Amino acid sequence: MSRNLQNQRFTVLSRLLHWTMAVMVITMLFIGVAMVVSPTAYDALRSVHRPLGVAVLVLAVVRVVNRFLHRPPPHPPTMSRPERVVAIGSELLLYGLLLVQPLVGWAMTSAAGTPVALFGSLRLPRILPADPTLYSALHQTHTVLAYLLFVTFLAHMSAVLFHSLVLRDGLLDRMAFWPAERRKEQSPSDVNADGT
């Protein structure tokens, strides 16, 4: 891969974190829905939901640090300045939700008076005292944040699909592992007299 194409992509670590977390978030959303609609499977799903939430929190912290250490590649020229502001804003919102949502879940579990069991006897310490009123408020907050995460994730995916399938401007290439498509910038000399 040429240096020019390499500079138009996120780092390998950024791409690994992005796709790993995308799979994890989708899994968490499905598990969250299943926990609500399948009371009989609640305990089994919760035993997966909690350690996966902790993993999301850890990777989100790594991802934020990585984001500060590595400048992202430029957006494609098809994106206007307002579109870029919205894209950056939605990215920051996703980062924030991926950090806050697991913390709220941890706090909610603590307020319920139950430990956050990870694997075997490994447990996280409580970060709040047991309190039914606090638990209820945190449970509601956790639900609202889950819906917000779902909507933000869906909007992000829709924007990427629009750029990839309609505009075909290579936006997805920035985060892809497959070979990037070479796109030649059209210069004024390439434009014919009829404007094509």
Side-chain angles (χ1 to χ4, degrees):
M1 184 187 298
S2 70
R3 187 167 185 81
N4 185 39
L5 281 174
Q6 205 167 19
N7 291 338
Q8 293 173 11
R9 286 189 159 189
F10 284 91
T11 64
V12 173
L13 177 59
S14 298
R15 285 179 274 160
L16 279 171
L17 288 168
H18 176 272
W19 293 112
T20 301
M21 293 191 72
V23 171
M24 291 170 74
V25 168
I26 292 170
T27 304
M28 287 291 280
L29 290 171
F30 275 111
I31 289 174
V33 170
M35 287 171 72
V36 173
V37 300
S38 305
T40 54
Y42 184 85
D43 289 337
L45 291 168
R46 185 178 60 182
S47 68
V48 177
H49 186 79
R50 287 178 177 175
L52 192 54
V54 172
V56 167
L57 176 60
V58 171
L59 289 181
V61 171
V62 173
R63 193 169 177 189
V64 168
V65 171
N66 180 65
R67 176 68 173 74
F68 278 113
L69 294 176
H70 301 283
R71 186 184 181 96
H75 289 98
T78 52
M79 291 180 71
S80 65
R81 184 174 179 81
E83 285 178 309
R84 294 177 193 195
V85 170
V86 170
I88 292 168
S90 65
E91 179 187 351
L92 293 175
L93 178 59
L94 272 172
Y95 282 150
L97 287 169
L98 291 172
L99 288 167
V100 172
Q101 178 69 327
L103 286 172
V104 170
W106 186 359
M108 178 185 74
T109 304
S110 298
T114 56
V116 178
L118 298 179
F119 304 102
S121 60
L122 182 61
R123 287 172 165 73
L124 292 181
R126 292 181 187 173
I127 55 175
L128 286 177
D131 183 332
T133 304
L134 188 56
Y135 167 79
S136 180
L138 288 168
H139 186 273
Q140 191 170 13
T141 303
H142 197 62
T143 302
V144 170
L145 289 176
Y147 281 116
L148 182 57
L149 178 58
F150 174 72
V151 170
T152 308
F153 188 82
L154 199 61
H156 175 74
M157 226 167 39
S158 299
V160 171
L161 287 173
F162 175 74
H163 277 271
S164 301
L165 302 177
V166 179
L167 299 181
R168 298 179 180 275
D169 58 6
L171 179 70
L172 187 57
D173 289 344
R174 299 162 72 233
M175 195 57 82
F177 281 102
W178 55 82
E181 186 179 327
R182 292 176 179 269
R183 287 175 177 79
K184 182 183 173 186
E185 294 290 336
Q186 193 176 39
S187 65
S189 60
D190 295 331
V191 180
N192 296 329
D194 60 359
T196 60

